[in-house]
Amino acid sequence: MSSESSGKFDEISEQITEDRGALLTALSRSDSDERSTTELRREAGIPSGSMSYHMQTLVDLGLVEVVGEIDGEGTIPANVYSITSLGQEFLDSSHWRSFPTYDDIERLENHVSSLEDELETLKDVVRRGLGDDLRTIISEEVEKELEQRER
């Protein structure tokens, strides 16, 4: 990468918010080369009111381009976007820090939830397995403490 690209990427990085990063990442991870505004919004979890603002910024930065339109959810057609070579180069550069998508977050939440369930199961096993032994140890320690206090 040339120093010119590096300088340009520094400028671009300053404009990449979490939402724009999520949109750019969603577009780059697409199975097809093109994604509609509706698809990108759903995948990145961006409110519909801010989509055109974020996408226009990505277009202005040269990272994505409008390649067509399709019928949208409402009466207004939805733009179809494609990542540009500059956009892909930016994602591949060291200037980029990838933002997780909602699918990434959901996978992590599910994993954390399963680990929490597993931890609770292990705690129950330990409580049942050591319950009697721990009660005996605790009782003995409490008795020792009481005896020391009486002295």
Side-chain angles (χ1 to χ4, degrees):
M1 178 184 348
S2 70
S3 61
E4 185 178 319
S5 291
S6 181
K8 172 100 172 133
F9 288 165
D10 287 340
E11 293 172 22
I12 290 172
S13 294
E14 293 173 10
Q15 300 294 316
I16 301 298
T17 63
E18 185 172 344
D19 287 345
R20 290 178 195 144
L23 289 165
L24 193 59
T25 300
L27 188 56
S28 74
R29 292 180 181 172
S30 172
D31 291 337
S32 69
D33 291 340
E34 302 172 351
R35 298 294 295 275
S36 73
T37 304
T38 305
E39 293 169 323
L40 290 170
R41 180 180 56 77
R42 284 185 184 141
E43 185 172 334
I46 308 297
S48 58
S50 61
M51 275 299 292
S52 61
Y53 172 72
H54 291 307
M55 293 309 294
Q56 186 58 53
T57 300
L58 293 172
V59 168
D60 292 345
L61 291 170
L63 302 176
V64 301
E65 61 187 348
V66 178
V67 293
E69 289 183 343
I70 61 169
D71 289 336
E73 292 176 340
T75 57
I76 300 172
N79 283 337
V80 176
Y81 294 92
S82 180
I83 192 164
T84 63
S85 57
L86 179 65
Q88 192 58 57
E89 195 178 327
F90 176 72
L91 287 176
D92 294 340
S93 76
S94 61
H95 289 74
W96 172 248
R97 62 182 175 100
S98 181
F99 293 98
T101 65
Y102 276 92
D103 288 342
D104 294 335
I105 293 168
E106 185 176 0
R107 277 192 297 276
L108 286 173
E109 287 174 343
N110 290 337
H111 185 67
V112 167
S113 179
S114 75
L115 289 173
E116 288 171 338
D117 292 345
E118 186 177 340
L119 179 60
E120 286 305 314
T121 300
L122 289 172
K123 284 179 179 179
D124 289 343
V125 167
V126 168
R127 285 183 195 118
R128 283 193 304 266
L130 297 178
D132 292 338
D133 293 337
L134 287 175
R135 284 188 200 98
T136 303
I137 291 169
I138 290 170
S139 294
E140 290 172 358
E141 291 299 316
V142 168
E143 284 179 29
K144 287 179 189 176
E145 182 66 29
L146 289 174
E147 286 176 12
Q148 287 179 355
R149 287 185 182 183
E150 288 178 358
R151 292 183 196 163

